[in-house]
Amino acid sequence: MRMKVAFIGTGYVGLVTGTCMAEMGHEVICVDIDAKKIAGLKKGILPIYEPGLDVLVKKYYKQGTLAFTTSICDAVQSSEVVFSAVGTPEHKATGAADLQYVREVARQFGQHLNGYKVFVNKSTVPVGTGEEVRQIIATESGREYEFDVVSNPEFLREGSAVKDFLEPDRIAIGVENERARKVMEEVYEPLTSRGYPLFVTNIKSAEIIKYASNSFLATKISFINDIANICELVGADVKDVARGMGLDNRIGPKFLRAGVGYGGACFPKDVKALLTTSKDLKRPLRILEAVEAVNEDQKTIPFKVLKKHFKSLKGKTIAVWGLAFKPETDDVREAPSFVLLRSLAKAGAKIRAYDPVAIPNTKAYLGKLPVTYTKDAMLAVKGADAVVLLTEWKEFQSVDWGQVKRAMKGDFVFDGRNILPHAEIESLGLIYKGIGTR
Ligand code: NAD
């Protein structure tokens, strides 16, 4: 049954999930306080790069089942279910999730409530937020109308977000009563009727499921990176080690790829937020503390490797391939590339950087850093002493290494994701260096 659904916060999660809800047959209204973003969306200009999203946004906007507005009042009052998908960034001083946007949305929802509605926390929020939000709404609404609060954390991945949302491993919801449960079952019926599982629990458990899942994935990454560093010392190959481990069904091959560390809008801040919760509870999460420490070290490896190879990087030209924290996204938040770019600039290196889509966002974050951004991968390596791969974009896997060699001045190739054809590179007389491998 078609439902009227609102998304407050039309960022990565709000825009993707809102659009996908239109694809599921609902009538969706997406709100944002960023008037420029909303004006752009109305003209078909998307604020993010996400495969497959633009087609759906344009289709449902044209059909009239996906609307964009800056009026939270209109969105709340015309909807039965209101998803809050605003950011919960890291609070710089404490490492906790900054809940100011969530609280503001709850206040506004309470003020505009005009009948029974369900307020859904789609944002990643620390355990206890559902209860806090319920109290804010009750106070702001003057308890005139009934409402329910639900937790529905989102597990989509940037780069495959549309598919992840429409074909989820599971949909997790936390509810406190049958009425809210029924509403959420109706919202997700287009997916559950196709066999995708809806996992229902209480609000606090749902809130923790999200943090525990992201923290576990981050743990797998830091674990294999730690093992990679051992492999390096003893002459083993972490790619084979990971493959050999991943063939065990109990372990699985995913998230077991050694590299230059995790980044992005989620893992770093979610790990930090869970660590802060554990500290507040005076029950340290020691494994997670190590996960974070390993990741911080891992991000410094590309610079250390270059420094070891060149001794001084002053005046050296370094080509950097890949700026986004992972492929198929233009998101550069907490990207390992920033650690390298800043260190290279400080060391006086000349930086030539290329990424298929993330250059505008990198410029926005690192504006003043002296980096020459190039239009393609080959231009970046022109005259370079070394080339460093940081993001495993597919196009880097099919470059012509003969051409790279001719374009470079030097001969050093650092593969921060272990995806380049090292035998071919070495056969051309270039020096290949990976992570936890030769
Ligand atoms: P984002 O920064 O891309 O988007 C947040 C949006 O909310 C912005 O457009 C902002 O302008 C808007 N906003 C802020 N205050 C508002 C208000 N009062 N009213 C209306 N709009 C408002 O953030 P995101 O990456 O979409 O993340 C949102 C949440 O989802 C976070 O909690 C995040 O941890 C979680 N999450 C993100 C991902 C991901 O891959 N990005 C995946 C799963 C979960």
Side-chain angles (χ1 to χ4, degrees), residues 50-86:
E50 182 60 42
L53 184 62
D54 54 347
V55 178
L56 294 179
V57 169
K58 284 173 192 155
K59 178 175 168 189
Y60 294 109
Y61 182 67
K62 206 169 154 201
Q63 278 184 17
T65 53
L66 177 62
F68 298 105
T69 181
T70 51
S71 169
I72 192 165
C73 175
D74 288 355
V76 170
Q77 298 201 333
S78 63
S79 303
E80 307 159 71
V81 186
V82 177
F83 287 83
S84 166
V86 290

PDB file of all heavy atoms in Angstrom, residues 50-86:
ATOM      1  N   GLU A  50      26.495   8.867  -6.997  1.00  0.00           N
ATOM      2  CA  GLU A  50      26.150   7.522  -6.531  1.00  0.00           C
ATOM      3  C   GLU A  50      25.559   6.761  -7.715  1.00  0.00           C
ATOM      4  O   GLU A  50      24.542   7.184  -8.282  1.00  0.00           O
ATOM      5  CB  GLU A  50      25.140   7.613  -5.384  1.00  0.00           C
ATOM      6  CG  GLU A  50      24.734   6.277  -4.773  1.00  0.00           C
ATOM      7  CD  GLU A  50      25.914   5.487  -4.177  1.00  0.00           C
ATOM      8  OE1 GLU A  50      26.776   6.071  -3.525  1.00  0.00           O
ATOM      9  OE2 GLU A  50      25.958   4.260  -4.402  1.00  0.00           O
ATOM     10  N   PRO A  51      26.211   5.662  -8.137  1.00  0.00           N
ATOM     11  CA  PRO A  51      25.740   4.953  -9.328  1.00  0.00           C
ATOM     12  C   PRO A  51      24.247   4.613  -9.292  1.00  0.00           C
ATOM     13  O   PRO A  51      23.757   4.080  -8.293  1.00  0.00           O
ATOM     14  CB  PRO A  51      26.592   3.681  -9.326  1.00  0.00           C
ATOM     15  CG  PRO A  51      27.829   4.052  -8.577  1.00  0.00           C
ATOM     16  CD  PRO A  51      27.399   5.047  -7.528  1.00  0.00           C
ATOM     17  N   GLY A  52      23.551   4.947 -10.370  1.00  0.00           N
ATOM     18  CA  GLY A  52      22.138   4.569 -10.524  1.00  0.00           C
ATOM     19  C   GLY A  52      21.148   5.502  -9.863  1.00  0.00           C
ATOM     20  O   GLY A  52      19.935   5.396 -10.078  1.00  0.00           O
ATOM     21  N   LEU A  53      21.637   6.447  -9.081  1.00  0.00           N
ATOM     22  CA  LEU A  53      20.719   7.282  -8.308  1.00  0.00           C
ATOM     23  C   LEU A  53      20.039   8.355  -9.164  1.00  0.00           C
ATOM     24  O   LEU A  53      18.836   8.604  -9.016  1.00  0.00           O
ATOM     25  CB  LEU A  53      21.471   7.929  -7.132  1.00  0.00           C
ATOM     26  CG  LEU A  53      20.628   8.753  -6.163  1.00  0.00           C
ATOM     27  CD1 LEU A  53      19.565   7.884  -5.483  1.00  0.00           C
ATOM     28  CD2 LEU A  53      21.508   9.417  -5.097  1.00  0.00           C
ATOM     29  N   ASP A  54      20.811   8.969 -10.060  1.00  0.00           N
ATOM     30  CA  ASP A  54      20.255  10.106 -10.812  1.00  0.00           C
ATOM     31  C   ASP A  54      19.031   9.703 -11.645  1.00  0.00           C
ATOM     32  O   ASP A  54      18.030  10.421 -11.713  1.00  0.00           O
ATOM     33  CB  ASP A  54      21.326  10.782 -11.680  1.00  0.00           C
ATOM     34  CG  ASP A  54      22.036   9.812 -12.600  1.00  0.00           C
ATOM     35  OD1 ASP A  54      21.887   8.583 -12.396  1.00  0.00           O
ATOM     36  OD2 ASP A  54      22.735  10.267 -13.522  1.00  0.00           O
ATOM     37  N   VAL A  55      19.088   8.519 -12.225  1.00  0.00           N
ATOM     38  CA  VAL A  55      17.976   8.050 -13.062  1.00  0.00           C
ATOM     39  C   VAL A  55      16.697   7.943 -12.227  1.00  0.00           C
ATOM     40  O   VAL A  55      15.621   8.393 -12.642  1.00  0.00           O
ATOM     41  CB  VAL A  55      18.310   6.654 -13.663  1.00  0.00           C
ATOM     42  CG1 VAL A  55      17.168   6.118 -14.493  1.00  0.00           C
ATOM     43  CG2 VAL A  55      19.577   6.732 -14.489  1.00  0.00           C
ATOM     44  N   LEU A  56      16.847   7.371 -11.032  1.00  0.00           N
ATOM     45  CA  LEU A  56      15.667   7.184 -10.167  1.00  0.00           C
ATOM     46  C   LEU A  56      15.136   8.525  -9.657  1.00  0.00           C
ATOM     47  O   LEU A  56      13.928   8.749  -9.626  1.00  0.00           O
ATOM     48  CB  LEU A  56      16.011   6.279  -8.975  1.00  0.00           C
ATOM     49  CG  LEU A  56      16.364   4.829  -9.284  1.00  0.00           C
ATOM     50  CD1 LEU A  56      16.693   4.067  -8.001  1.00  0.00           C
ATOM     51  CD2 LEU A  56      15.211   4.122 -10.011  1.00  0.00           C
ATOM     52  N   VAL A  57      16.039   9.406  -9.265  1.00  0.00           N
ATOM     53  CA  VAL A  57      15.602  10.719  -8.759  1.00  0.00           C
ATOM     54  C   VAL A  57      14.784  11.423  -9.840  1.00  0.00           C
ATOM     55  O   VAL A  57      13.672  11.906  -9.596  1.00  0.00           O
ATOM     56  CB  VAL A  57      16.818  11.597  -8.350  1.00  0.00           C
ATOM     57  CG1 VAL A  57      16.388  13.038  -8.083  1.00  0.00           C
ATOM     58  CG2 VAL A  57      17.493  11.016  -7.102  1.00  0.00           C
ATOM     59  N   LYS A  58      15.325  11.456 -11.057  1.00  0.00           N
ATOM     60  CA  LYS A  58      14.631  12.170 -12.145  1.00  0.00           C
ATOM     61  C   LYS A  58      13.289  11.513 -12.460  1.00  0.00           C
ATOM     62  O   LYS A  58      12.282  12.180 -12.666  1.00  0.00           O
ATOM     63  CB  LYS A  58      15.526  12.224 -13.386  1.00  0.00           C
ATOM     64  CG  LYS A  58      16.631  13.261 -13.214  1.00  0.00           C
ATOM     65  CD  LYS A  58      17.634  13.218 -14.339  1.00  0.00           C
ATOM     66  CE  LYS A  58      18.852  14.062 -13.976  1.00  0.00           C
ATOM     67  NZ  LYS A  58      20.068  13.673 -14.653  1.00  0.00           N
ATOM     68  N   LYS A  59      13.285  10.170 -12.475  1.00  0.00           N
ATOM     69  CA  LYS A  59      12.061   9.434 -12.818  1.00  0.00           C
ATOM     70  C   LYS A  59      10.926   9.750 -11.828  1.00  0.00           C
ATOM     71  O   LYS A  59       9.820  10.114 -12.229  1.00  0.00           O
ATOM     72  CB  LYS A  59      12.375   7.931 -12.814  1.00  0.00           C
ATOM     73  CG  LYS A  59      11.191   7.040 -13.097  1.00  0.00           C
ATOM     74  CD  LYS A  59      11.639   5.582 -13.187  1.00  0.00           C
ATOM     75  CE  LYS A  59      10.458   4.640 -13.188  1.00  0.00           C
ATOM     76  NZ  LYS A  59      10.861   3.244 -13.060  1.00  0.00           N
ATOM     77  N   TYR A  60      11.223   9.615 -10.536  1.00  0.00           N
ATOM     78  CA  TYR A  60      10.134   9.778  -9.564  1.00  0.00           C
ATOM     79  C   TYR A  60       9.799  11.235  -9.284  1.00  0.00           C
ATOM     80  O   TYR A  60       8.667  11.555  -8.925  1.00  0.00           O
ATOM     81  CB  TYR A  60      10.450   8.985  -8.279  1.00  0.00           C
ATOM     82  CG  TYR A  60      10.445   7.508  -8.596  1.00  0.00           C
ATOM     83  CD1 TYR A  60      11.622   6.775  -8.628  1.00  0.00           C
ATOM     84  CD2 TYR A  60       9.260   6.871  -8.948  1.00  0.00           C
ATOM     85  CE1 TYR A  60      11.622   5.436  -8.976  1.00  0.00           C
ATOM     86  CE2 TYR A  60       9.249   5.526  -9.311  1.00  0.00           C
ATOM     87  CZ  TYR A  60      10.430   4.812  -9.323  1.00  0.00           C
ATOM     88  OH  TYR A  60      10.426   3.492  -9.692  1.00  0.00           O
ATOM     89  N   TYR A  61      10.764  12.122  -9.507  1.00  0.00           N
ATOM     90  CA  TYR A  61      10.458  13.554  -9.377  1.00  0.00           C
ATOM     91  C   TYR A  61       9.464  13.940 -10.479  1.00  0.00           C
ATOM     92  O   TYR A  61       8.472  14.627 -10.228  1.00  0.00           O
ATOM     93  CB  TYR A  61      11.741  14.382  -9.478  1.00  0.00           C
ATOM     94  CG  TYR A  61      11.484  15.856  -9.314  1.00  0.00           C
ATOM     95  CD1 TYR A  61      11.060  16.364  -8.085  1.00  0.00           C
ATOM     96  CD2 TYR A  61      11.648  16.746 -10.376  1.00  0.00           C
ATOM     97  CE1 TYR A  61      10.803  17.713  -7.919  1.00  0.00           C
ATOM     98  CE2 TYR A  61      11.395  18.098 -10.219  1.00  0.00           C
ATOM     99  CZ  TYR A  61      10.972  18.584  -8.988  1.00  0.00           C
ATOM    100  OH  TYR A  61      10.700  19.923  -8.834  1.00  0.00           O
ATOM    101  N   LYS A  62       9.739  13.429 -11.684  1.00  0.00           N
ATOM    102  CA  LYS A  62       8.860  13.718 -12.823  1.00  0.00           C
ATOM    103  C   LYS A  62       7.470  13.115 -12.606  1.00  0.00           C
ATOM    104  O   LYS A  62       6.451  13.748 -12.897  1.00  0.00           O
ATOM    105  CB  LYS A  62       9.498  13.122 -14.092  1.00  0.00           C
ATOM    106  CG  LYS A  62       9.083  13.833 -15.358  1.00  0.00           C
ATOM    107  CD  LYS A  62       9.935  13.381 -16.530  1.00  0.00           C
ATOM    108  CE  LYS A  62       9.141  13.572 -17.806  1.00  0.00           C
ATOM    109  NZ  LYS A  62       9.655  12.740 -18.886  1.00  0.00           N
ATOM    110  N   GLN A  63       7.458  11.899 -12.060  1.00  0.00           N
ATOM    111  CA  GLN A  63       6.159  11.234 -11.814  1.00  0.00           C
ATOM    112  C   GLN A  63       5.379  11.869 -10.668  1.00  0.00           C
ATOM    113  O   GLN A  63       4.199  11.606 -10.489  1.00  0.00           O
ATOM    114  CB  GLN A  63       6.393   9.760 -11.462  1.00  0.00           C
ATOM    115  CG  GLN A  63       6.594   8.888 -12.669  1.00  0.00           C
ATOM    116  CD  GLN A  63       6.721   7.409 -12.286  1.00  0.00           C
ATOM    117  OE1 GLN A  63       6.372   6.992 -11.195  1.00  0.00           O
ATOM    118  NE2 GLN A  63       7.225   6.623 -13.214  1.00  0.00           N
ATOM    119  N   GLY A  64       6.072  12.662  -9.846  1.00  0.00           N
ATOM    120  CA  GLY A  64       5.402  13.348  -8.741  1.00  0.00           C
ATOM    121  C   GLY A  64       5.329  12.551  -7.451  1.00  0.00           C
ATOM    122  O   GLY A  64       4.676  12.970  -6.502  1.00  0.00           O
ATOM    123  N   THR A  65       6.047  11.396  -7.394  1.00  0.00           N
ATOM    124  CA  THR A  65       6.032  10.644  -6.124  1.00  0.00           C
ATOM    125  C   THR A  65       7.301  10.896  -5.304  1.00  0.00           C
ATOM    126  O   THR A  65       7.492  10.286  -4.254  1.00  0.00           O
ATOM    127  CB  THR A  65       5.876   9.126  -6.366  1.00  0.00           C
ATOM    128  OG1 THR A  65       6.874   8.710  -7.291  1.00  0.00           O
ATOM    129  CG2 THR A  65       4.496   8.790  -6.888  1.00  0.00           C
ATOM    130  N   LEU A  66       8.149  11.788  -5.811  1.00  0.00           N
ATOM    131  CA  LEU A  66       9.327  12.196  -5.042  1.00  0.00           C
ATOM    132  C   LEU A  66       9.400  13.717  -5.123  1.00  0.00           C
ATOM    133  O   LEU A  66       9.573  14.278  -6.210  1.00  0.00           O
ATOM    134  CB  LEU A  66      10.601  11.567  -5.649  1.00  0.00           C
ATOM    135  CG  LEU A  66      11.931  11.946  -5.002  1.00  0.00           C
ATOM    136  CD1 LEU A  66      12.003  11.497  -3.547  1.00  0.00           C
ATOM    137  CD2 LEU A  66      13.098  11.335  -5.789  1.00  0.00           C
ATOM    138  N   ALA A  67       9.231  14.361  -3.959  1.00  0.00           N
ATOM    139  CA  ALA A  67       9.223  15.825  -3.944  1.00  0.00           C
ATOM    140  C   ALA A  67      10.353  16.338  -3.067  1.00  0.00           C
ATOM    141  O   ALA A  67      10.852  15.619  -2.191  1.00  0.00           O
ATOM    142  CB  ALA A  67       7.879  16.324  -3.416  1.00  0.00           C
ATOM    143  N   PHE A  68      10.772  17.579  -3.333  1.00  0.00           N
ATOM    144  CA  PHE A  68      11.841  18.191  -2.537  1.00  0.00           C
ATOM    145  C   PHE A  68      11.344  19.519  -1.983  1.00  0.00           C
ATOM    146  O   PHE A  68      10.682  20.281  -2.687  1.00  0.00           O
ATOM    147  CB  PHE A  68      13.083  18.414  -3.399  1.00  0.00           C
ATOM    148  CG  PHE A  68      13.651  17.135  -3.938  1.00  0.00           C
ATOM    149  CD1 PHE A  68      13.469  16.786  -5.282  1.00  0.00           C
ATOM    150  CD2 PHE A  68      14.327  16.252  -3.107  1.00  0.00           C
ATOM    151  CE1 PHE A  68      13.974  15.591  -5.775  1.00  0.00           C
ATOM    152  CE2 PHE A  68      14.835  15.059  -3.595  1.00  0.00           C
ATOM    153  CZ  PHE A  68      14.654  14.721  -4.934  1.00  0.00           C
ATOM    154  N   THR A  69      11.685  19.786  -0.734  1.00  0.00           N
ATOM    155  CA  THR A  69      11.231  21.028  -0.116  1.00  0.00           C
ATOM    156  C   THR A  69      12.203  21.468   0.972  1.00  0.00           C
ATOM    157  O   THR A  69      13.016  20.670   1.454  1.00  0.00           O
ATOM    158  CB  THR A  69       9.821  20.846   0.509  1.00  0.00           C
ATOM    159  OG1 THR A  69       9.405  22.075   1.089  1.00  0.00           O
ATOM    160  CG2 THR A  69       9.807  19.778   1.590  1.00  0.00           C
ATOM    161  N   THR A  70      12.093  22.730   1.345  1.00  0.00           N
ATOM    162  CA  THR A  70      12.853  23.204   2.511  1.00  0.00           C
ATOM    163  C   THR A  70      11.911  23.369   3.707  1.00  0.00           C
ATOM    164  O   THR A  70      12.336  23.782   4.774  1.00  0.00           O
ATOM    165  CB  THR A  70      13.543  24.559   2.215  1.00  0.00           C
ATOM    166  OG1 THR A  70      12.566  25.444   1.687  1.00  0.00           O
ATOM    167  CG2 THR A  70      14.700  24.405   1.249  1.00  0.00           C
ATOM    168  N   SER A  71      10.627  23.047   3.494  1.00  0.00           N
ATOM    169  CA  SER A  71       9.655  23.231   4.573  1.00  0.00           C
ATOM    170  C   SER A  71       9.441  21.941   5.362  1.00  0.00           C
ATOM    171  O   SER A  71       8.737  21.022   4.930  1.00  0.00           O
ATOM    172  CB  SER A  71       8.311  23.705   4.006  1.00  0.00           C
ATOM    173  OG  SER A  71       7.331  23.628   5.021  1.00  0.00           O
ATOM    174  N   ILE A  72      10.031  21.892   6.530  1.00  0.00           N
ATOM    175  CA  ILE A  72       9.882  20.713   7.388  1.00  0.00           C
ATOM    176  C   ILE A  72       8.426  20.584   7.845  1.00  0.00           C
ATOM    177  O   ILE A  72       7.899  19.483   7.997  1.00  0.00           O
ATOM    178  CB  ILE A  72      10.880  20.776   8.575  1.00  0.00           C
ATOM    179  CG1 ILE A  72      10.959  19.452   9.308  1.00  0.00           C
ATOM    180  CG2 ILE A  72      10.590  21.886   9.505  1.00  0.00           C
ATOM    181  CD1 ILE A  72      12.150  19.324  10.218  1.00  0.00           C
ATOM    182  N   CYS A  73       7.755  21.731   8.003  1.00  0.00           N
ATOM    183  CA  CYS A  73       6.349  21.728   8.426  1.00  0.00           C
ATOM    184  C   CYS A  73       5.493  20.982   7.391  1.00  0.00           C
ATOM    185  O   CYS A  73       4.736  20.070   7.738  1.00  0.00           O
ATOM    186  CB  CYS A  73       5.882  23.177   8.597  1.00  0.00           C
ATOM    187  SG  CYS A  73       4.131  23.301   8.973  1.00  0.00           S
ATOM    188  N   ASP A  74       5.642  21.357   6.108  1.00  0.00           N
ATOM    189  CA  ASP A  74       4.867  20.682   5.051  1.00  0.00           C
ATOM    190  C   ASP A  74       5.152  19.184   5.050  1.00  0.00           C
ATOM    191  O   ASP A  74       4.252  18.361   4.922  1.00  0.00           O
ATOM    192  CB  ASP A  74       5.255  21.226   3.660  1.00  0.00           C
ATOM    193  CG  ASP A  74       4.720  22.631   3.446  1.00  0.00           C
ATOM    194  OD1 ASP A  74       3.984  23.114   4.333  1.00  0.00           O
ATOM    195  OD2 ASP A  74       5.074  23.236   2.414  1.00  0.00           O
ATOM    196  N   ALA A  75       6.440  18.852   5.172  1.00  0.00           N
ATOM    197  CA  ALA A  75       6.832  17.444   5.091  1.00  0.00           C
ATOM    198  C   ALA A  75       6.228  16.640   6.243  1.00  0.00           C
ATOM    199  O   ALA A  75       5.658  15.572   6.031  1.00  0.00           O
ATOM    200  CB  ALA A  75       8.350  17.332   5.104  1.00  0.00           C
ATOM    201  N   VAL A  76       6.335  17.175   7.459  1.00  0.00           N
ATOM    202  CA  VAL A  76       5.819  16.447   8.630  1.00  0.00           C
ATOM    203  C   VAL A  76       4.302  16.322   8.525  1.00  0.00           C
ATOM    204  O   VAL A  76       3.734  15.239   8.697  1.00  0.00           O
ATOM    205  CB  VAL A  76       6.228  17.162   9.942  1.00  0.00           C
ATOM    206  CG1 VAL A  76       5.489  16.568  11.145  1.00  0.00           C
ATOM    207  CG2 VAL A  76       7.732  17.070  10.152  1.00  0.00           C
ATOM    208  N   GLN A  77       3.653  17.443   8.229  1.00  0.00           N
ATOM    209  CA  GLN A  77       2.186  17.434   8.287  1.00  0.00           C
ATOM    210  C   GLN A  77       1.539  16.605   7.176  1.00  0.00           C
ATOM    211  O   GLN A  77       0.423  16.134   7.334  1.00  0.00           O
ATOM    212  CB  GLN A  77       1.677  18.875   8.289  1.00  0.00           C
ATOM    213  CG  GLN A  77       2.185  19.605   9.535  1.00  0.00           C
ATOM    214  CD  GLN A  77       1.398  20.811   9.930  1.00  0.00           C
ATOM    215  OE1 GLN A  77       0.777  21.443   9.091  1.00  0.00           O
ATOM    216  NE2 GLN A  77       1.445  21.155  11.206  1.00  0.00           N
ATOM    217  N   SER A  78       2.251  16.410   6.081  1.00  0.00           N
ATOM    218  CA  SER A  78       1.637  15.642   4.995  1.00  0.00           C
ATOM    219  C   SER A  78       2.034  14.157   5.030  1.00  0.00           C
ATOM    220  O   SER A  78       1.677  13.411   4.133  1.00  0.00           O
ATOM    221  CB  SER A  78       2.023  16.259   3.646  1.00  0.00           C
ATOM    222  OG  SER A  78       3.421  16.165   3.484  1.00  0.00           O
ATOM    223  N   SER A  79       2.806  13.741   6.056  1.00  0.00           N
ATOM    224  CA  SER A  79       3.309  12.365   6.048  1.00  0.00           C
ATOM    225  C   SER A  79       2.830  11.543   7.247  1.00  0.00           C
ATOM    226  O   SER A  79       2.507  12.082   8.300  1.00  0.00           O
ATOM    227  CB  SER A  79       4.839  12.380   6.042  1.00  0.00           C
ATOM    228  OG  SER A  79       5.301  13.116   4.934  1.00  0.00           O
ATOM    229  N   GLU A  80       2.821  10.212   7.030  1.00  0.00           N
ATOM    230  CA  GLU A  80       2.465   9.302   8.127  1.00  0.00           C
ATOM    231  C   GLU A  80       3.708   8.844   8.883  1.00  0.00           C
ATOM    232  O   GLU A  80       3.657   8.562  10.073  1.00  0.00           O
ATOM    233  CB  GLU A  80       1.788   8.042   7.571  1.00  0.00           C
ATOM    234  CG  GLU A  80       0.599   8.309   6.659  1.00  0.00           C
ATOM    235  CD  GLU A  80       0.325   7.090   5.771  1.00  0.00           C
ATOM    236  OE1 GLU A  80      -0.143   6.068   6.297  1.00  0.00           O
ATOM    237  OE2 GLU A  80       0.608   7.162   4.550  1.00  0.00           O
ATOM    238  N   VAL A  81       4.806   8.743   8.130  1.00  0.00           N
ATOM    239  CA  VAL A  81       6.060   8.280   8.716  1.00  0.00           C
ATOM    240  C   VAL A  81       7.136   9.301   8.375  1.00  0.00           C
ATOM    241  O   VAL A  81       7.284   9.687   7.207  1.00  0.00           O
ATOM    242  CB  VAL A  81       6.465   6.896   8.139  1.00  0.00           C
ATOM    243  CG1 VAL A  81       7.687   6.357   8.854  1.00  0.00           C
ATOM    244  CG2 VAL A  81       5.316   5.906   8.241  1.00  0.00           C
ATOM    245  N   VAL A  82       7.886   9.735   9.381  1.00  0.00           N
ATOM    246  CA  VAL A  82       8.915  10.758   9.155  1.00  0.00           C
ATOM    247  C   VAL A  82      10.274  10.186   9.563  1.00  0.00           C
ATOM    248  O   VAL A  82      10.495   9.856  10.729  1.00  0.00           O
ATOM    249  CB  VAL A  82       8.595  12.041   9.961  1.00  0.00           C
ATOM    250  CG1 VAL A  82       9.710  13.067   9.786  1.00  0.00           C
ATOM    251  CG2 VAL A  82       7.248  12.625   9.522  1.00  0.00           C
ATOM    252  N   PHE A  83      11.140  10.053   8.581  1.00  0.00           N
ATOM    253  CA  PHE A  83      12.486   9.544   8.834  1.00  0.00           C
ATOM    254  C   PHE A  83      13.427  10.718   9.084  1.00  0.00           C
ATOM    255  O   PHE A  83      13.440  11.659   8.300  1.00  0.00           O
ATOM    256  CB  PHE A  83      13.006   8.781   7.614  1.00  0.00           C
ATOM    257  CG  PHE A  83      12.362   7.438   7.409  1.00  0.00           C
ATOM    258  CD1 PHE A  83      11.136   7.329   6.766  1.00  0.00           C
ATOM    259  CD2 PHE A  83      12.994   6.281   7.841  1.00  0.00           C
ATOM    260  CE1 PHE A  83      10.549   6.091   6.566  1.00  0.00           C
ATOM    261  CE2 PHE A  83      12.410   5.034   7.646  1.00  0.00           C
ATOM    262  CZ  PHE A  83      11.184   4.935   7.005  1.00  0.00           C
ATOM    263  N   SER A  84      14.203  10.633  10.127  1.00  0.00           N
ATOM    264  CA  SER A  84      15.242  11.637  10.347  1.00  0.00           C
ATOM    265  C   SER A  84      16.548  11.067   9.822  1.00  0.00           C
ATOM    266  O   SER A  84      17.012  10.020  10.290  1.00  0.00           O
ATOM    267  CB  SER A  84      15.357  11.943  11.840  1.00  0.00           C
ATOM    268  OG  SER A  84      16.554  12.649  12.079  1.00  0.00           O
ATOM    269  N   ALA A  85      17.112  11.744   8.814  1.00  0.00           N
ATOM    270  CA  ALA A  85      18.355  11.241   8.206  1.00  0.00           C
ATOM    271  C   ALA A  85      19.423  12.321   8.202  1.00  0.00           C
ATOM    272  O   ALA A  85      20.238  12.419   7.286  1.00  0.00           O
ATOM    273  CB  ALA A  85      18.076  10.750   6.784  1.00  0.00           C
ATOM    274  N   VAL A  86      19.419  13.139   9.246  1.00  0.00           N
ATOM    275  CA  VAL A  86      20.431  14.198   9.329  1.00  0.00           C
ATOM    276  C   VAL A  86      21.754  13.608   9.798  1.00  0.00           C
ATOM    277  O   VAL A  86      21.814  12.476  10.284  1.00  0.00           O
ATOM    278  CB  VAL A  86      19.981  15.330  10.297  1.00  0.00           C
ATOM    279  CG1 VAL A  86      18.823  16.109   9.700  1.00  0.00           C
ATOM    280  CG2 VAL A  86      19.616  14.771  11.666  1.00  0.00           C
TER     281      VAL A  86
END
